[in-house]
Structures are given as C-alpha cells and as structure tokens.
Amino acid sequence: MLTIKNLFAGIEDKAILKGINLQVNPGEIHAIMGPNGSGKSSLASVLAGKEDYQVTDGEVLFEGKDLLELSPDERAKEGLFLAFQYPVEIPGVSNMQFLKTAVNEIRSYRNQPALTAGEFLSLIKQKQKLVELDDQFLRRSLNTGFSGGEKKKNEIFQLAMFEPKLSILDETDSGLDIDALRIIANGVNRLKNNNNSFVLITHYQRLLDYIVPDFVHVLYDGKIILTGTKDLALELEEKGYDWVKEMAHAKEPAQ
Amino acid sequence: MLQTDTLHTKFLELVKSAEAQNGATLLESRQAAFKRFSNNGFPTIRSEQWKYSNITGLLNDALQVPVEPLAVKETQDAGAALLVKLHAPAEWLTILTINGKLHTIQRPTGSKEDNLQISDVQDFLLSTEDDGDNDTVVQQAINKPFSLLNRALFLHGLQLEVKANSQVNIPVHIIHYYTGIENTFLQTRLQLKANKNAHLTVVESFIADSSCKNVVVNHAAETLLAAEATLDHFLVQQLNEQTNLILSEVVRQEQQSDYKNHVISLPFARFIRNNLDIALKGTYSHTDMHGLYMVSPQQVIDNSTGINHLRPNCTSNQLYKGIVADKGTGTFNGRIYVHLDAQKTNAFQKNANLPLGEHAVINSKPQLEIYADDVRCTHGSALGQMNNQQLFYLLARGIKQEIAVKLLSQAFVNEVTETIEQESIRSYVADLVEKALDQM
Amino acid sequence: MSNTSNDILEKVTTGDYEYGFSTEIDMEYAPPGLNEETIAFISAKKSEPDWLLQWRLKAYKTFLKQQLPRWQNFELPEMDLQAISYYAAPKKKPELKSLDEVDPELLKTFEKLGIPLNEQKQLTGVAVDAVFDSVSVVTTFREELSKVGIIFCSISEAIKEHPELVQKYLGSVVPQSDNYYAALNSAVFSDGSFVYIPEGVRCPMELSTYFRINAKNSGQFERTLIIADKNSYVSYLEGCTAPSRDENQLHAAVVELVALENAEIKYSTVQNWYPGDKDGKGGVYNFVTKRGICLGNHSKISWTQVETGSAITWKYPSVILKGDYTSGEFYSVAVTRHKQVADTGTKMYHIGKNSKSRIISKGISAGEAQNAYRGLVQVGPNARNARNYTQCDSLLIGDRCGAHTFPYIESKNNTAQIEHEATTSKIGEDQIFYLNQRGIDTEKAVGMIVNGYVKEVLEKLPMEFAVEAQKLLAITLEGSVG
C-alpha cells in the first residue's frame, strides 16, 4: 500500500523529517506516536502534499506509484485521505455542496459515473449514522462555526463518504471528550477492512484503547526510533517519552 | 486669506536676512521648496486631503511671517522656573523652546546622556537626504504644501540624534512653548535621528499660554530610524483658541526598526491638523500609531495619516479614537498603502468616534490601497454614542448620570492611553486627558 | 502560492468572453459628433415633444460646463466624444405591435444570449424589455401587467403616453448637473425602460431589461426610470452584453428610482459587458449613474449587483433616505481580471429619521486588475437614529492585482450609529489545500471558495438569476487561478 524510503523533508532551511522508513500493507493499522515537535504532523502533511514542505531526499510509493510526483488532489483521488488536525473553515460553501463536488471528482477520476441526487442523498444517509451527525450540519458552511468535536466527526464522515485506501488521522483524538472519541473510534473500526489501511498519528495512548493498531512506531527528531506492538504504546503511557529520547541519544556517536 | 504673493515678499526678506547665517545648500533648498509650494499654493477643500477642513479663516490676512528670531523676555534663569510652571517631569531630560527657539536644556541630576546630540538652528545642517529618496510616497509626503512652506520659511530648528548601538534611558521631553506673540505664522522644525540599533523616547509637548493672539504654528518633523532602531514618540498638544497647529511629520524606517507614535490632541485649540506619513522602507519593520483627539465645541481636529508598506514582512497597527463635543468637527483620514513588493504585510487599522453633543460632526475615512496579494489587512470604523446598556447598568448601581457618562468616556479614551508602556509617560498623559475630559 | 498553483490560477482567469459575437443587421446611425444638431436629430428621430428637446439642450449646456472627474486612483483613458455616434438603431421600425414584426436577426441575437423574447418560450414570471443599441426592440408581458395597472414599456413610449409621470420624475433623482456622464446622458439618451407600479400593487413578476450594444463606434446611453407608488413592490433586473471589439465603447446610463410611502424597489444587475481582451484591448467603459430616492416614509430601495464585465466599471448605486423609517441596501460582487478596473460602491444619504442602511461588498481581483470599493455614508443633522452597517471584503488571486477600500463616513448627528469593517486578504491557501486533499483540483477549489465568499450577495438576487450569476462567476474566473 504505502512504502516510505529514507524520507527527508523540511520547511525552508529547517530539516524536520530526517530519514523516515515505513511500510504499510493493506488491512493494517499503524500508530505513530512521539513527543511534541518530533515531526508527526509534518509527515502527514508531506504525504498529503502540502506545498510548504520540501522533500530533499527519499521516495514514497503509494500503490506502486511515485506519490511525491502527484499533486495534492491527485493523491486524494488515488485514495489517500488525511483527516486534518485543524480542519479549515470555508464560509459560504455548504457541506453538502462540498461533498457532492468531492465525491464526484473522485468518481470521475476512477471513471465512475457521477452520482445522481438520489444516490448521493442515500449515501449520505447511510454514512452519517456512522458518526452520529444530524441533517442540520449538511446545510451549514464547511466546518464554519463547528465545535472541535463536530469538525473531527466531519472528517471521519468524509472518510466514510470517500472510502479511501489509506487514511491518515492526524491527532484526530486531540481535544475530544470521551463520547466523541468513542463515536469516532467506532466509525473507524466499522470502516476498516482487509483492503484499506490506517495510520493514526497521536500523542496519547488513549485512542489506541478504542482502535487497536497492528504496529506502533515512535517518531523522534524526524526518525522512527522504535517499532513495536500495542504494548509499546502502553509502555509509553506509563513511562513517558524520556526513556525513548535517552535511548535515541545513546545510539548517537559520542562527541 | 494669506496670499502666496505676500508670502513671497516675506520669503525674499527672509532669504536676505538669513543669507549671512545659512550656507548655500540651505538657501537652495529654501528656494526650491518655495517654488514648489507656489505652484499649487495653499490647499482648498477641493483637495481630497483637505476636504473636511477649510483653512481660509485660519490663515487670515493679519498673520505675519517672522523673518528673524522672535524676541523672548525670559532670561536663562527663568527657564527652570518656567519648567516647573509647565509641569515638566523633573526626572526627564527637558528641552525647552520658546516660540520655536531653543531656550533651556535641563538634565536630571546625575544624568549624562552623552550619546544624544542636541543641536539648534545655528549649527543646523540640513542633513536630510530627501531629494535622494526615490520612494514616491516619501516624495509625496515631503512635498505636501505645509511641509514645503516650512522648508522655505523656517526660522528655528532642533535636531536630536542618538549614536548607534546606544540607548537614551530617560524620556527626552521637548516643550514647544508659545508665549507673548500676536498675529504670527510661525514655522518650526524638528529632526529626530536614531542610528543603527539605537533607542530613544521623545515626548513633545506643544503648550500655548493665554498671552498669544492669533497664532498659527506650522511645525514640520522629519524622523529617521536606521536599521534595528527603536523610537517611541509622543506628541501632546495643549493649545488654546488663539494658538493653532499644523503638524507634518515624515518618518522613514529602515529594516527591523520599530516606531511607536502617540498623538494626543487635547481640546480648545481652534484648529489642529496632524499629517503623519510613515514609510516602512526596510523589511521586518513595525509601526504603531495611536491617536486620541478630543474636540471641543467649534473646534476642528483633522488627522491625516499614511502608513506606507514598501518592503516585505512589515507590520503596522493603528488605533485612532475621537471624542467630539457639540458643533466640533473631528476627522480621521488614514490610508494604508501596500506596495506590490510588500508581500507578507500585516496591517491593522481602527478608528472609533464618540459624539458627545447633538451636532458633533465626525468624518472618518479609513482606506486600504493594496497592490500585493500575500497580505492581511483589516480596517474598521465605528461611530456611535455610548452603549445605553452600560450606561443603564451604572445608573442602576446608583451612579449619577453625569459621573456615569464620564466613566464611560474615560473607558473610551483609556484604550488609547493604556497602550503607553512607560509608566511615567502614561501618567503624564492620563492626567492631562482626565483634566480635559472634565472640561469638555 | 507555488508556481504550479500560480499556473493554474493563470489558466483559470484567462477564459474567453462568451458573448463576443456581433449581429449583421441594417442599421441607421446619427452622424458621429456631439453637438446641438445631434441632439435635435435624436429628438426628431424619436418624435419627441418639444419640452424634452428643450430639457436635453439644457442638459447639453450643463455638460459643456462640466469637467471630467479627476479623483480616481486609476488612469482614465482619453475618449473622443466627437468620434461617437449617439444614435444607432435597426432600420426596421422599432415600434411594433407584435413579435412577428421584429427583425428575425434580432430575435436570434437575443435567443443566442439566452433571452428568448417569445413569451411562450420565456421563463415564467419574468417580463423583458430588450434594448438593442439605441432602441427598445420589444417589451414582453405588457398586457398581462397592464391588467393590474403596471406600466412597463420603453422610456420613449412613456414620454409619449405618460408624459405627466415622466416630466414629474425625470431628472428628479439624478439632476442633469450631477456629474459629467449624467449630464451627457441627459442630453443624448436614446432609450431605456420605464416602470410605474400603481398604489397598492405588488408586481406579480420579475421585470427585466436586457441591454445589448452591437453597433461599432457608438455609445449606449440608456435611461431608466422606475416609480413605485404607495404600498407597492417591484423587483427589477438588468443584464448586459456587447460584442468583442478592439475599440472601447462607452456606456453611460442613468437609472432613477423613486419609492413613495411604504413602497419597495429591488433592483438587481448582472453586468457582463465585454471586458476587453487579456492585454486590456477593447472593452466597454461602463460609467453609470444609478440612484434611488426613498421619498415616502417606510420605503425601501435595495441594489444588488454582480459586476464581471467592462474594461472599466465606474458606478455607485446610491440611495437618498429622505423619508422617516426608510431603508437602503447595497449588495455587490465585483470580479475583475486581466487589466479590468472596477471602481464601485454606494452612497447612502441619511436625511429622514430612523433611516437605516446596509452595505455588503465583495471584491475579487485577479490577473493585473484593480478593484476598488468606494462608498459614502452620510448622516444629516436631522437624521436622528440613523443606522449603518458596512462590510467590504476583498480577495486577491495572483500577485499583480490590486484591491482598494475607500469608505467615507460623514455624520452630523450624535444619535447615528455607524459601523464599517473591511478585510483584504489573499485567497486561503489552507482552504485550497483542504479541498485538494478531498480530490478537488485547484481550479474548482478556487471557484468553490469564491462562490462561498460571495454567497451572501448572490442570495439577494432573484432565484433564476442567482444560478446564472453563479455560472457567470465560474466562467469569469476560469483561467485566473494559480
């Protein structure tokens, strides 16, 4: 599904990702954890193609294609979905109008016919239950005036609508109360199958109580320094990140 | 109204008497300025910049242009006593000018401040590089009619310069004191220069006493901030109905400089016009402009400001507030200009007006003129009486109407005075503002 | 924005003008030149009464004393008013009893513009007055409207058939001496629409005028007069297009609205005159004076405009709030690209007590275009409790365009409450990225963001036209995005 080889990237002259290697196969859930500033969200942005970042070295293959060659919308159309940490507000563009445009853009890319109004509505009906969103919000402007929880639910709702191959959830759990977290996790669990994959970016273990990852990676100073199973997440929760940092520094050659 | 021809006669007299003292460069500069002034003469209300202020009555025929320094009665000894009378804070470095002429410099005990050079007109060197400055906005600013007239006719000038990489740690207080003059159209000048990475705080007080009759002061200032310099500049105008002021200041800022300006126009002058033009000529510079104008009945206060973003990554923040009494006229005309090179500009501008009397006249013209795209510029203007709910709340707590109104007016002006960071200056200004509020 | 997205922006804002075709038709022209003979010629052609000829001649005298305005922040091109023909009309007799008599070429032209003049083919509920160069070709649904006493006809007809109304109100809102172009229009106006809604009548359908400049080297100087009598209501819409021609064409219209007690006039414009090509060659100079007066208490005038065309647009639809409890509104979207200039806004004159006004302006500037909001809110000494709210936002697409905001606020009464807010910013890169991430390409993303941005204004348009306007915006921005 996704192969990242020795990826280096940064903003202007500042290096942020310093040699990432990661393999994600269909049907897998990966969690990427790490202290603040370790490069977790940058990795998500680079994969989605945010223009502020420059890739200086390395390679990313997505379903065999060179992901870094594609424009952001092409990446989305190929089936890469990023649930944003801070979904942007777009006043005046209704959720409904936005969804319809995006769904049909993706369908047209896949040579599928555009959905009729009826098909589109029933798709919405079916998916909105998943994250417990009411009809009202469909008429509202995209993310405009939404609470933090509503914005995150909307991201997962879109995930359900677009049925991507690979979903990257960037700190989707931050700022959520326990009920919202449960709703979102249930949504993800029901969407997961043997053909799609998820990458969960998170600072805390909490989300992993609800969505059980196959692999847990620790990202520190732009590199993955440790990979394990769910137990690693529990260990991090218990001990904090300091021991991982020490381990990372110990690996560096002495001055 | 004063005629250009009359001024020209005076100009020739002045040139004759000044010839002995001034060098050839200065004379040339005077001549060029007068020539440019005569091309258009005084502005009328047909000019966009002057549409809300008619100056024909102000510049009446009785006005005389002095061609040599005016006599001052006080002796040097009287200077110190006068400063006490003028409530000059003793802990500041004080420079007193009387009718434009440098009179006394008083330093607090123990203060040296040898990094600050203070010069008066005698050794005044016209050191501005105006004519070499290619920025159109700077050219436009220094070629405004009253600036030109000042350059042609000024008698007195004062120059302050801080050495590079040094700070002047106490406020420098320039008191422009006007006394005992009649029917006078006076031209005075100030140049402030903060060299690289220097810091200076200047408070200018314009104070007129009641012995003046029919006086118009045309004061021009040129301010230069070299790279990384910071300058805090306060203009406090305490004039009376016989003494009026036209002020023009042009500020040029080099990279990473920080200029903060406060203009406090207190009531009772018949006419005050403040022209301020700032040119952000270096990247990563910042300008703060705060204004408070308190307009008494029949008075006119007209603010005309321009913040010109000429290079990328500069920021500016402007807040002007006016309180206008019945039949007073308060005007704010402020332009933010963003040159096409000035990407990443962030500019904020706000004007608010509180009309106190039924026929308070208020004009507000905030303007954004933007030729770069990666910018964030916002402006707002609000006009309206006090919030009735707030007023009612105070009344319901047993506060008299009169006091409640005063409290809310106070709250309105506090937004400006609270932006003054230096405690001693804030209290100096706040006291004057509070007294003025009582009298309005 | 990166280079790739700049390229797309570039592409999106360089689309072509759809209505640039011209019609071959037998025309009659006045000889070029502006003088008393020309005015007499126009007046004679239209068999006007003598009072109107005298009125025109008086306007011409005023015009000669007027000077071109000089306060604008864009360069006003020199224009030779003597080289223009002030009257251009299809040769076939313009006054027709039925559609069958209309030159089929003309019908085809309007059909091509999406304005079928055959009543059966029309959008139901919209009556059209079609103006081709200097004359009104046909006015539809007249009979149906006349049943409720509504007069909807060309101004030339109104001059003959309802002289008392025309004489009373013509020039009463926009005096001949108002400005250079208003004076010119008063002297040489050719045709335009006239509407009178009688007391207590709510006009049952949208009224609209469609203006088409076709002839070369001619100007269009139409004159519109709308009177809404007590307790009446009318919604009126105008649309305009012109062929792509290399030389500039002058359009100097005057629109006057009069709302009597408790009446409401809603006036919408979708302006799509030929904007010139991408290098700024050709295009219509749209110098228009539009003003309404809320004469009676509790009356209301609302202007909505979508401005996408013209090389230079220079207009300030205004409201004189003379009566007490009157209300004025101005909703505007102005889109400029290539080398277009739009300098538009409104003037709200608060004279009556408890009058209120609301201004919402959205400017979008792309390419090398300049887009300015210029507006005045004036509160007179007796206008107690006047209220105004103004919001002007500008969006910049591309780094060679400009956006400007020049509001004038003048109050002479302390009970006024005025609030003005304006923001200028670049189109949101984070918004474009978000939409990209959902599979929407940059060109469509920009279209969506812009349509969302102007939604508040488009919602004020009558339904049928809101959809048209939305499409027009999308087409206009095609090729301007980066």
Side-chain angles (χ1 to χ4, degrees):
Chain A
M1 174 82 60
L2 179 74
T3 309
I4 303 176
K5 287 182 199 159
N6 197 31
L7 181 65
F8 281 77
I11 294 183
E12 285 168 10
D13 294 333
K14 194 172 167 255
I16 297 172
L17 302 181
K18 302 170 183 172
I20 301 267
N21 288 292
L22 183 68
Q23 172 70 36
V24 178
N25 298 313
E28 290 178 354
I29 298 182
H30 290 244
I32 295 181
M33 303 183 70
N36 289 331
S38 58
K40 300 189 301 284
S41 289
S42 296
L43 175 61
S45 297
V46 169
L47 293 177
K50 200 162 170 55
E51 284 166 356
D52 307 350
Y53 290 87
Q54 281 105 44
V55 173
T56 49
D57 200 4
E59 188 181 24
V60 181
L61 295 175
F62 181 59
E63 296 278 84
K65 282 189 183 143
D66 182 354
L67 188 73
L68 302 176
E69 281 295 301
L70 302 176
S71 66
D73 60 299
E74 285 167 341
R75 297 179 197 204
K77 286 166 181 156
E78 286 289 340
L80 178 95
F81 182 91
L82 171 64
F84 286 83
Q85 183 178 3
Y86 303 108
V88 68
E89 302 190 350
I90 308 187
V93 175
S94 77
N95 247 319
M96 187 72 114
Q97 182 194 357
F98 156 72
L99 284 170
K100 200 168 174 186
T101 311
V103 165
N104 285 331
E105 283 289 309
I106 293 170
R107 289 182 67 86
S108 132
Y109 188 80
R110 296 176 184 165
N111 291 319
Q112 295 166 324
L115 292 181
T116 65
E119 287 166 342
F120 179 68
L121 277 177
S122 63
L123 182 65
I124 283 186
K125 281 264 172 280
Q126 178 201 333
K127 304 288 185 183
Q128 79 188 101
K129 283 184 210 137
L130 211 63
V131 282
E132 303 178 21
L133 277 170
D134 58 25
D135 290 345
Q136 182 60 38
F137 107 105
L138 287 168
R139 285 191 291 275
R140 285 163 64 188
S141 287
L142 184 53
N143 293 329
T144 308
F146 284 25
S147 71
E150 281 177 318
K151 281 182 184 168
K152 296 295 174 74
K153 279 190 199 174
N154 196 20
E155 294 292 287
I156 304 303
F157 171 60
Q158 290 173 29
L159 196 163
M161 289 290 292
F162 303 153
E163 297 177 350
K165 292 176 192 151
L166 174 70
S167 304
I168 303 166
L169 276 58
D170 187 8
E171 308 237 2
T172 298
D173 53 335
S174 63
L176 290 187
D177 63 34
I178 199 75
D179 288 332
L181 187 65
R182 187 184 42 77
I183 291 169
I184 282 171
N186 281 347
V188 171
N189 285 329
R190 286 167 63 184
L191 291 167
K192 192 200 165 281
N193 59 41
N194 289 333
N195 301 317
N196 62 14
S197 316
F198 286 83
V199 174
L200 313 175
I201 290 174
T202 181
H203 186 74
Y204 301 106
Q205 192 277 139
R206 194 172 67 147
L207 177 68
L208 309 181
D209 285 341
Y210 297 91
I211 308 173
V212 181
D214 300 301
F215 300 95
V216 173
H217 309 277
V218 178
L219 188 65
Y220 177 65
D221 193 25
K223 284 191 283 271
I224 289 176
I225 54 164
L226 202 58
T227 294
T229 60
K230 186 175 183 306
D231 296 338
L232 176 58
L234 290 170
E235 197 174 348
L236 285 169
E237 176 82 357
E238 196 184 314
K239 297 191 193 166
Y241 283 105
D242 286 347
W243 67 275
V244 200
K245 289 184 196 171
E246 278 163 28
M247 195 178 69
H249 291 303
K251 277 187 192 167
E252 280 169 20
Q255 295 283 321
Chain B
M1 190 179 170
L2 273 181
Q3 298 302 312
T4 311
D5 288 351
T6 325
L7 287 172
H8 193 233
T9 317
K10 285 291 173 190
F11 176 70
L12 293 177
E13 277 177 46
L14 184 139
V15 166
K16 218 170 155 195
S17 91
E19 232 167 355
Q21 298 163 30
N22 301 156
T25 335
L26 186 51
L27 277 180
E28 268 172 39
S29 155
R30 284 183 189 279
Q31 264 149 352
F34 195 84
K35 194 162 172 243
R36 267 181 270 169
F37 167 79
S38 335
N39 288 341
N40 294 309
F42 288 110
T44 68
I45 50 167
R46 266 190 235 140
S47 145
E48 190 59 32
Q49 294 300 313
W50 288 84
K51 73 179 281 186
Y52 298 117
S53 294
N54 191 335
I55 49 170
T56 42
L58 180 74
L59 299 175
N60 52 69
D61 288 332
L63 287 175
Q64 295 292 320
V65 176
V67 294
E68 44 197 50
L70 299 162
V72 175
K73 286 173 218 150
E74 275 82 0
T75 61
Q76 186 69 26
D77 291 336
L82 190 55
L83 289 181
V84 174
K85 196 182 111 190
L86 296 173
H87 305 289
E91 67 276 20
W92 299 354
L93 192 167
T94 309
I95 302 167
L96 174 68
T97 73
I98 297 181
N99 300 333
K101 189 174 177 357
L102 177 61
H103 187 272
T104 305
I105 299 177
Q106 179 176 286
R107 295 168 194 270
T109 351
S111 127
K112 272 172 56 192
E113 310 302 345
D114 53 5
N115 54 349
L116 176 72
Q117 188 192 326
I118 305 169
S119 354
D120 82 345
V121 74
Q122 265 70 30
D123 40 30
F124 191 93
L125 186 71
L126 202 78
S127 62
T128 54
E129 296 107 44
D130 301 344
D131 299 309
D133 197 318
N134 293 325
D135 279 315
T136 322
V137 288
V138 175
Q139 282 301 321
Q140 281 168 352
I142 57 182
N143 283 310
K144 286 182 176 174
F146 284 97
S147 300
L148 287 172
L149 197 60
N150 182 290
R151 238 138 125 40
L153 296 173
F154 77 91
L155 277 184
H156 305 288
L158 192 60
Q159 185 177 22
L160 270 60
E161 183 170 348
V162 201
K163 284 187 186 151
N165 302 308
S166 73
Q167 310 196 357
V168 178
N169 291 315
I170 50 172
V172 176
H173 191 193
I174 305 171
I175 300 181
H176 305 281
Y177 180 55
Y178 308 103
T179 180
I181 43 176
E182 287 181 22
N183 300 325
T184 307
F185 185 27
L186 188 64
Q187 324 285 321
T188 59
R189 262 185 109 67
L190 173 69
Q191 288 191 197
L192 296 174
K193 190 170 178 188
N195 284 306
K196 187 167 193 272
N197 191 29
H199 172 71
L200 177 66
T201 301
V202 174
V203 182
E204 287 186 73
S205 295
F206 297 83
I207 306 175
D209 76 11
S210 55
S211 63
C212 293
K213 296 274 176 309
N214 190 25
V215 174
V216 177
V217 177
N218 178 23
H219 181 77
E222 286 189 17
T223 302
L224 191 66
L225 282 81
E228 295 159 55
T230 57
L231 175 56
D232 283 4
H233 193 185
F234 301 85
L235 298 140
V236 186
Q237 301 162 346
Q238 304 162 253
L239 301 163
N240 58 38
E241 66 270 24
Q242 289 294 334
T243 314
N244 307 287
L245 176 65
I246 295 165
L247 179 139
S248 310
E249 183 179 4
V250 180
V251 181
R252 278 172 285 170
Q253 291 186 245
E254 299 299 339
Q255 70 212 44
Q256 292 175 59
S257 59
D258 187 350
Y259 179 69
K260 291 194 172 70
N261 176 294
H262 281 78
V263 180
I264 311 292
S265 303
L266 297 160
F268 308 117
R270 194 175 80 193
F271 183 91
I272 294 176
R273 163 79 175 209
N274 294 309
N275 294 305
L276 287 110
D277 290 283
I278 318 280
L280 291 145
K281 292 165 58 74
T283 56
Y284 295 97
S285 299
H286 176 77
T287 309
D288 256 338
M289 286 185 92
H290 291 98
L292 175 62
Y293 45 105
M294 304 172 72
V295 191
S296 47
Q298 315 297 343
Q299 186 194 355
V300 172
I301 299 182
D302 183 343
N303 299 288
S304 175
T305 71
I307 299 179
N308 301 287
H309 286 261
L310 305 176
R311 303 288 182 272
N313 292 298
C314 295
T315 52
S316 66
N317 179 28
Q318 183 174 31
L319 172 68
Y320 265 62
K321 295 190 97 170
I323 291 191
V324 185
D326 200 22
K327 299 194 176 76
T329 302
T331 296
F332 170 76
N333 185 347
R335 183 175 86 146
I336 292 177
Y337 171 88
V338 178
H339 190 271
L340 61 95
D341 290 335
Q343 296 293 358
K344 308 270 179 203
T345 289
N346 199 327
F348 177 82
Q349 179 185 52
K350 185 181 165 189
N351 176 228
N353 289 287
L354 178 66
L356 287 183
E358 189 180 348
H359 294 295
V361 177
I362 292 168
N363 304 302
S364 172
K365 193 184 160 202
Q367 302 163 74
L368 302 174
E369 201 168 335
I370 294 163
Y371 297 92
D373 74 322
D374 195 0
V375 300
R376 176 88 194 160
C377 301
T378 302
H379 75 192
S381 174
L383 183 159
Q385 285 177 303
M386 278 164 200
N387 184 322
N388 269 332
Q389 284 167 337
Q390 291 174 346
L391 195 60
F392 180 74
Y393 185 90
L394 296 177
L395 297 179
R397 292 288 173 272
I399 296 166
K400 269 200 300 194
Q401 168 98 15
E402 200 187 310
I403 303 212
V405 166
K406 205 199 143 191
L407 277 174
L408 292 176
S409 309
Q410 189 78 56
F412 182 84
V413 300
N414 279 352
E415 201 190 341
V416 175
T417 53
E418 276 166 5
T419 59
I420 302 176
E421 286 162 15
Q422 301 85 340
E423 169 62 37
S424 68
I425 301 174
R426 187 169 62 242
S427 72
Y428 174 77
V429 171
D431 283 354
L432 290 169
V433 167
E434 196 176 336
K435 275 189 206 116
L437 261 186
D438 280 343
Q439 292 162 8
M440 270 185 83
Chain C
M1 232 173 269
S2 80
N3 283 333
T4 44
S5 51
N6 263 324
D7 293 345
I8 302 171
L9 271 176
E10 189 78 41
K11 211 178 88 219
V12 176
T13 39
T14 47
D16 287 332
Y17 183 69
E18 235 189 320
Y19 307 101
F21 65 90
S22 58
T23 308
E24 288 304 321
I25 198 163
D26 236 2
M27 297 288 286
E28 180 173 23
Y29 294 93
L34 178 61
N35 48 49
E36 294 194 354
E37 287 72 53
T38 301
I39 294 164
F41 176 90
I42 297 169
S43 197
K45 268 285 155 206
K46 304 174 83 68
S47 333
E48 286 175 355
D50 187 57
W51 66 264
L52 191 56
L53 175 61
Q54 295 314 318
W55 193 83
R56 286 177 181 276
L57 291 170
K58 194 175 140 230
Y60 180 63
K61 287 205 179 76
T62 311
F63 169 77
L64 292 176
K65 282 182 234 149
Q66 296 265 1
Q67 297 204 329
L68 265 175
R70 290 269 172 245
W71 41 260
Q72 62 280 7
N73 72 328
F74 54 88
E75 213 165 304
L76 192 65
E78 287 289 324
M79 184 173 280
D80 184 3
L81 291 177
Q82 296 302 340
I84 296 176
S85 166
Y86 288 85
Y87 184 82
K91 265 191 181 158
K92 279 207 173 176
K93 206 166 169 276
E95 285 165 59
L96 308 159
K97 292 289 168 267
S98 88
L99 263 186
D100 305 339
E101 293 171 52
V102 179
D103 187 321
E105 270 302 312
L106 276 180
L107 288 181
K108 252 193 260 169
T109 301
F110 282 97
E111 194 110 10
K112 231 167 137 181
L113 296 168
I115 319 286
L117 297 178
N118 188 322
E119 286 184 15
Q120 282 84 48
K121 284 191 195 166
Q122 287 195 26
L123 292 166
T124 42
V126 183
V128 180
D129 182 19
V131 178
F132 189 84
D133 290 327
S134 299
V135 290
S136 167
V137 177
V138 71
T139 310
T140 64
F141 290 106
R142 289 177 60 160
E143 277 178 33
E144 196 175 328
L145 290 168
S146 68
K147 281 179 203 153
V148 283
I150 292 173
I151 306 168
F152 179 38
C153 61
S154 72
I155 195 133
S156 311
E157 285 170 83
I159 288 160
K160 285 175 206 139
E161 287 162 31
H162 310 280
E164 69 299 338
L165 283 172
V166 177
Q167 229 171 333
K168 183 169 175 190
Y169 291 111
L170 189 71
S172 72
V173 190
V174 179
Q176 294 180 334
S177 59
D178 194 76
N179 66 70
Y180 186 83
Y181 292 105
L184 176 63
N185 175 288
S186 302
V188 303
F189 75 87
S190 39
D191 217 336
S193 302
F194 176 84
V195 176
Y196 172 77
I197 314 289
E199 189 171 339
V201 171
R202 208 183 149 80
C203 183
M205 58 178 81
E206 301 282 342
L207 301 186
S208 83
T209 300
Y210 195 87
F211 296 102
R212 174 76 177 170
I213 298 181
N214 187 64
K216 258 188 181 175
N217 301 321
S218 70
Q220 184 153 356
F221 304 91
E222 88 265 5
R223 186 112 194 165
T224 297
L225 176 58
I226 299 177
I227 302 147
D229 214 325
K230 288 176 189 168
N231 301 312
S232 70
Y233 167 84
V234 61
S235 168
Y236 182 92
L237 183 125
E238 63 170 7
C240 13
T241 57
S244 309
R245 296 198 189 281
D246 284 348
E247 74 274 15
N248 298 102
Q249 284 171 296
L250 176 62
H251 172 247
V254 171
V255 175
E256 297 177 282
L257 312 182
V258 181
L260 299 179
E261 197 177 323
N262 207 28
E264 179 176 350
I265 303 176
K266 192 172 151 58
Y267 193 106
S268 313
T269 304
V270 176
Q271 186 265 109
N272 189 23
W273 294 117
Y274 177 56
D277 71 6
K278 61 179 176 18
D279 302 317
K281 195 169 185 200
V284 171
Y285 293 148
N286 188 33
F287 302 159
V288 173
T289 309
K290 291 183 168 177
R291 194 176 302 150
I293 184 164
C294 286
L295 209 50
N297 294 345
H298 298 279
S299 56
K300 178 175 175 180
I301 289 177
S302 178
W303 297 99
T304 304
Q305 60 175 29
V306 175
E307 304 283 322
T308 58
S310 297
I312 302 177
T313 294
W314 198 0
K315 69 167 193 174
Y316 313 94
S318 306
V319 184
I320 302 168
L321 298 153
K322 189 147 190 284
D324 296 343
Y325 298 94
T326 48
S327 161
E329 292 176 338
F330 175 74
Y331 297 97
S332 171
V333 171
V335 185
T336 51
R337 57 172 184 157
H338 299 322
K339 295 197 166 156
Q340 275 178 280
V341 174
D343 197 296
T344 184
T346 183
K347 298 177 188 180
M348 295 290 176
Y349 301 94
H350 291 260
I351 297 168
K353 294 177 181 63
N354 300 298
S355 53
K356 57 182 186 196
S357 60
R358 184 178 168 83
I359 299 168
I360 306 288
S361 162
K362 305 272 182 181
I364 296 143
S365 205
E368 292 168 64
Q370 300 297 327
N371 201 327
Y373 168 83
R374 196 183 297 274
L376 168 69
V377 174
Q378 192 178 69
V379 176
N382 301 317
R384 289 194 66 78
N385 297 315
R387 297 286 178 268
N388 164 268
Y389 175 76
T390 302
Q391 191 182 343
C392 304
D393 294 324
S394 306
L395 196 63
L396 295 152
I397 305 177
D399 57 4
R400 286 161 300 158
C401 52
H404 319 298
T405 316
F406 306 114
Y408 292 68
I409 297 161
E410 302 175 3
S411 168
K412 290 192 162 76
N413 191 293
N414 67 330
T415 57
Q417 269 187 30
I418 301 171
E419 205 180 324
H420 167 96
E421 285 170 14
T423 296
T424 301
S425 56
K426 188 182 178 178
I427 189 161
E429 281 172 53
D430 49 346
Q431 295 177 334
I432 295 178
F433 180 64
Y434 187 91
L435 295 175
N436 282 165
Q437 215 302 304
R438 297 300 182 254
I440 298 167
D441 65 32
T442 301
E443 188 168 324
K444 282 209 180 64
V446 168
M448 263 182 122
I449 293 165
V450 168
N451 263 310
Y453 177 77
V454 302
K455 195 173 182 185
E456 195 180 351
V457 173
L458 293 192
E459 279 173 352
K460 300 289 168 186
L461 284 175
M463 190 62 164
E464 299 83 348
F465 301 102
V467 179
E468 284 307 308
Q470 220 165 9
K471 277 191 212 148
L472 183 61
L473 281 182
I475 293 168
T476 306
L477 280 173
E478 231 164 69
S480 57
V481 188

